[in-house]
């Protein structure tokens, strides 16, 4: 798969600014132009990957190995990576993994995008006393009944105090926006899960209306006209714009407002420790294990739906053995269910979310490859001095592990050899660095630096 050949970002700064510029340029277009441009150009290199992934999974009747994934999404160079520079605060993830008192997992639940799977994942790995009893939403238990999954309505101090007092370690925010101005100040690790926007919307219609969970409208056309709150819901969730933002979703006179919303949403998303894609949950285990320290990842490949007994489905997809192909098989196909005009309308009403989703999916893929690369990649600090005509160079390994494309970072010159040895538990890495230096008498000087670091 082709990657951009010329990027504005430097190798040291990564490709975040480059892809941000692409996203903002797209957001300034009219919805129909956004969709046409993305379909034609695939600017984030994710649409073709998704197609090829599903085809290969179906042909092989299994999920792919990391090498097979790399065949269809080669590890991008450092200056082509939307995840660099890394905006996440690692200390928050470390604190959560270590069980530091008061820390918790803040999950921004995008409805019908794999959130219930994520809650089940937490339930399988956290002590029962650390789990809010109602779908990972702690605020339902709080005295002032503001609802459940509405953390925007609570101050940081209230959230932190109540979570600590009750000992809860996960907080799901489903019904209100994420507040990028203050929520990142919480003592939390942040996670969310995306799904293709029109698939998510149709799934919500099916779940709530067709399967009779509080909705009586059976016509998707009438339902969509009433649910303007769902138009570009992802973008609104992560940008937290002022009221009336939906009036700016189209029209050239509102192009700057759309750019601002998209810039905020992408900046917010870049700070989330885990950004998953529901279609690719079968490949999420490495990130979940390394960032959250969860060992039981079975929920990622088990079909989980809230209120399951209200309307059971017998479609043979209770276990996801085919990855994205299983998700497609269990879901309604919007192109088949919707007429052409309704498909076009809903797609255009979700055009900004289409951009943000592909940004999220690229983030997921890059981080997957970074964790699964066969080598350990770490920053280098060199110390050099001259003594008796001999140069001794040392390497200190930092705990910033980003294993993607180690070959691109290490441009080895003659006389140097670098080998990496990984321990079996995949948690700790030992770097064996051999430096060879031929000097005066043709003798070979070897300096071996062995350092030990924690992998996350």
């Amino acid at each position: 798969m082709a990657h951009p050949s010329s990027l504005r970002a430097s190798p040291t700064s990564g490709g975040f600014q480059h892809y941000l510029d692409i996203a903002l340029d797209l957001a300034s277009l009219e919805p129909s132009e956004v969709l046409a441009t993305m379909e034609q150009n695939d600017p984030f290199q994710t649409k073709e990957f998704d197609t090829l992934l599903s085809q290969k999974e179906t042909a092989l009747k299994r999920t792919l190995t990391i090498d097979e994934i790399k065949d269809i999404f080669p590890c991008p160079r450092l200056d082509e990576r939307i995840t660099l520079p890394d905006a996440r605060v690692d200390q928050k993830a470390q604190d959560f993994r270590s069980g530091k008192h008061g820390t918790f997992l803040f999950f921004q639940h995008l409805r019908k995008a794999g959130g219930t799977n994520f809650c089940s994942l937490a339930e399988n790995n956290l002590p029962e006393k650390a789990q809010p009893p109602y779908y990972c939403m702690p605020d339902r238990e709080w005295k002032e009944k503001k609802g459940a999954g509405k953390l925007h309505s609570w101050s940081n101090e209230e959230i932190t105090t109540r979570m600590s007092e009750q000992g809860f370690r996960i907080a799901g925010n489903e019904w209100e926006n994420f507040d990028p101005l203050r929520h990142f100040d919480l003592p939390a690790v942040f996670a969310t899960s995306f799904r293709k926007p029109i698939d998510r919307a149709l799934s919500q219609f099916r779940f709530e209306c067709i399967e009779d969970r509080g909705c009586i409208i059976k016509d998707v056309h009438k339902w969509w006209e009433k649910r303007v709150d769902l138009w570009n819901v992802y973008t609104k969730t992560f940008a937290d714009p002022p009221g009336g933002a939906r009036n700016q979703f189209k029209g050239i006179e509102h192009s700057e407002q759309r750019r601002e919303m998209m810039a905020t949403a992408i900046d917010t998303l870049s700070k989330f420790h885990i950004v998953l894609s529901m279609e690719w949950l079968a490949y999420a285990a490495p990130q979940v294990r390394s960032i959250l320290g969860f060992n039981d990842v079975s929920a990622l490949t088990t079909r989980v739906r809230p209120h399951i007994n209200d309307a059971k489905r017998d479609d043979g997809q209770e276990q996801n053995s085919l990855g994205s192909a299983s998700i497609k098989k269990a879901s309604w196909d919007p192109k088949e269910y919707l007429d052409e005009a309704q498909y076009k309308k809903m797609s255009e009403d979700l055009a900004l979310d289409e951009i943000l989703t592909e940004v999220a999916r690229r983030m997921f893929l890059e981080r997957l490859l970074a964790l699964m690369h066969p080598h350990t990649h770490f920053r280098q600090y060199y110390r050099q001095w001259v003594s008796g005509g001999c140069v001794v160079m040392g390497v200190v390994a930092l705990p910033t592990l980003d294993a993607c494309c180690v070959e691109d970072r290490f441009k080895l010159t003659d006389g140097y050899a670098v080998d990496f040895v990984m321990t079996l538990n995949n948690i700790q890495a030992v770097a064996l660095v051999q430096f060879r230096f031929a000097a005066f008498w043709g003798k070979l000087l070897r300096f071996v630096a062995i350092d030990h670091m924690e992998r996350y």
Side-chain angles (χ1 to χ4, degrees):
M1 185 176 300
H3 291 280
S5 59
S6 177
L7 299 178
R8 283 178 285 242
S10 69
T12 54
S13 65
F16 178 81
Q17 187 61 50
H18 168 72
Y19 284 109
L20 177 64
D21 290 342
I22 289 177
L24 300 191
D25 289 344
L26 285 168
S28 67
L29 302 175
E30 289 297 279
S32 60
E33 295 177 292
V34 172
L35 300 175
T37 302
M38 293 188 69
E39 184 65 30
Q40 181 178 353
N41 298 338
D42 192 14
F44 303 101
Q45 295 88 48
T46 47
K47 289 182 175 291
E48 182 184 358
F49 169 82
D50 189 50
T51 300
L52 295 175
L53 177 67
S54 183
Q55 290 174 351
K56 285 203 168 190
E57 289 172 337
T58 302
L60 296 171
K61 295 181 170 57
R62 60 169 174 80
T63 56
L64 304 192
T65 66
I66 189 63
D67 287 334
E68 290 168 336
I69 289 176
K70 288 172 65 179
D71 286 341
I72 54 178
F73 188 85
C75 187
R77 299 195 311 265
L78 298 175
D79 59 349
E80 294 177 342
R81 294 179 53 196
I82 196 171
T83 53
L84 290 180
D86 195 340
R88 298 173 295 177
V89 179
D90 173 51
Q91 188 60 50
K92 289 179 178 287
Q94 292 185 35
D95 289 344
F96 177 81
R97 288 195 305 272
S98 67
K100 183 177 179 180
H101 180 72
T103 60
F104 60 93
L105 168 58
F106 189 112
F107 181 67
Q108 185 61 50
H109 187 162
L110 302 174
R111 191 163 176 76
K112 304 306 298 174
T116 306
N117 284 78
F118 202 91
C119 184
S120 296
L121 179 72
E123 290 172 349
N124 291 345
N125 288 275
L126 295 175
E128 186 174 355
K129 64 181 181 180
Q131 305 169 22
Y134 184 76
Y135 294 107
C136 298
M137 301 178 195
D139 47 332
R140 195 187 191 202
E141 308 302 310
W142 297 346
K143 291 180 181 179
E144 300 85 348
K145 296 292 184 180
K146 299 181 182 180
K150 296 184 175 181
L151 297 181
H152 198 294
S153 296
W154 300 87
S155 70
N156 278 13
E157 183 179 0
E158 289 173 319
I159 296 172
T160 302
T161 299
R162 292 165 190 257
M163 291 291 289
S164 180
E165 288 176 349
Q166 294 181 290
F168 293 151
R169 300 211 68 213
I170 182 169
N173 185 40
E174 180 174 359
W175 299 105
E176 292 185 336
N177 295 341
F178 183 88
D179 188 342
L181 296 180
R182 63 182 178 89
H183 279 158
F184 283 123
D185 294 330
L186 292 167
V189 58
F190 300 91
T192 192
S193 177
F194 277 70
R195 184 180 187 178
K196 291 181 181 178
I198 196 168
D199 290 15
R200 191 219 65 78
L202 187 58
S203 178
Q204 184 168 345
F205 170 71
R206 177 187 184 184
F207 182 81
E208 295 178 355
C209 303
I210 301 301
E211 296 179 348
D212 298 313
R213 293 184 177 89
C215 171
I216 61 173
I217 303 174
K218 303 300 181 182
D219 186 323
V220 69
H221 305 78
K222 295 179 180 178
W223 175 77
W224 190 246
E225 283 300 323
K226 287 183 175 291
R227 295 306 305 266
V228 294
D229 59 306
L230 299 180
W231 298 5
N232 288 319
V233 64
Y234 295 169
T235 306
K236 291 185 296 186
T237 295
F238 291 99
D240 194 27
R246 70 180 180 86
N247 297 320
Q248 302 167 349
F249 291 160
K250 60 181 64 176
I252 191 170
E253 69 276 16
H254 299 305
S255 61
E256 190 58 36
Q257 288 92 333
R258 292 196 296 276
R259 289 177 65 93
E260 291 174 2
M261 274 191 280
M262 185 58 62
T264 301
I266 293 177
D267 181 70
T268 300
L269 204 57
S270 72
K271 297 173 184 176
F272 269 61
H273 297 84
I274 295 181
V275 178
L276 302 181
S277 171
M278 178 177 167
E279 292 85 358
W280 303 338
L281 282 182
Y283 301 97
Q287 294 186 54
V288 169
R289 288 193 179 104
S290 62
I291 300 297
L292 302 179
F294 288 174
N295 294 315
D296 184 348
V297 294
S298 59
L300 295 173
T301 52
T302 303
R303 187 177 184 181
V304 182
R305 293 188 298 127
H307 315 294
I308 184 68
N309 293 324
D310 293 347
K312 292 186 177 181
R313 300 176 190 169
D314 185 15
D315 53 16
Q317 300 303 307
E318 298 309 312
Q319 290 292 326
N320 181 349
S321 59
L322 295 180
S324 65
S326 279
I327 300 295
K328 289 180 175 66
K329 187 174 181 180
S331 304
W332 281 359
D333 185 340
K335 287 187 176 180
E336 293 180 2
Y337 186 85
L338 303 172
D339 59 70
E340 185 176 349
Q342 185 64 14
Y343 182 86
K344 181 176 185 295
K345 174 171 175 48
M346 292 178 67
S347 296
E348 291 182 359
D349 290 337
L350 295 167
L352 293 182
D353 281 1
E354 187 72 24
I355 301 170
L356 191 62
T357 298
E358 298 313 311
V359 166
R361 284 150 71 91
R362 184 173 180 93
M363 288 180 176
F364 174 86
L365 283 176
E366 289 184 3
R367 288 170 178 167
L368 171 65
L369 293 179
L371 285 169
M372 297 302 290
H373 196 280
H375 300 298
T376 299
H377 170 208
F378 53 86
R379 295 175 182 172
Q380 301 175 90
Y381 282 93
Y382 294 100
R383 184 182 57 196
Q384 156 174 330
W385 64 90
V386 178
S387 175
C390 298
V391 177
V392 180
M393 301 181 70
V395 171
V396 178
L398 296 183
T400 302
L401 287 181
D402 192 345
C404 195
C405 301
V406 67
E407 302 93 344
D408 289 336
R409 175 61 64 89
F410 286 100
K411 300 298 184 183
L412 302 180
T413 58
D414 291 340
Y416 296 93
V418 181
D419 299 311
F420 297 93
V421 181
M422 302 297 296
T423 57
L424 294 178
N425 63 8
N426 251 351
I427 300 299
Q428 296 173 332
V430 175
L432 175 62
V433 185
Q434 296 179 319
F435 292 94
R436 191 175 55 196
F437 176 76
F440 300 99
W441 312 106
K443 296 181 179 179
L444 184 68
L445 171 68
R446 291 180 179 273
F447 174 74
V448 178
I450 300 179
D451 206 342
H452 174 271
M453 60 188 151
E454 177 184 356
R455 179 173 188 179
Y456 80 91

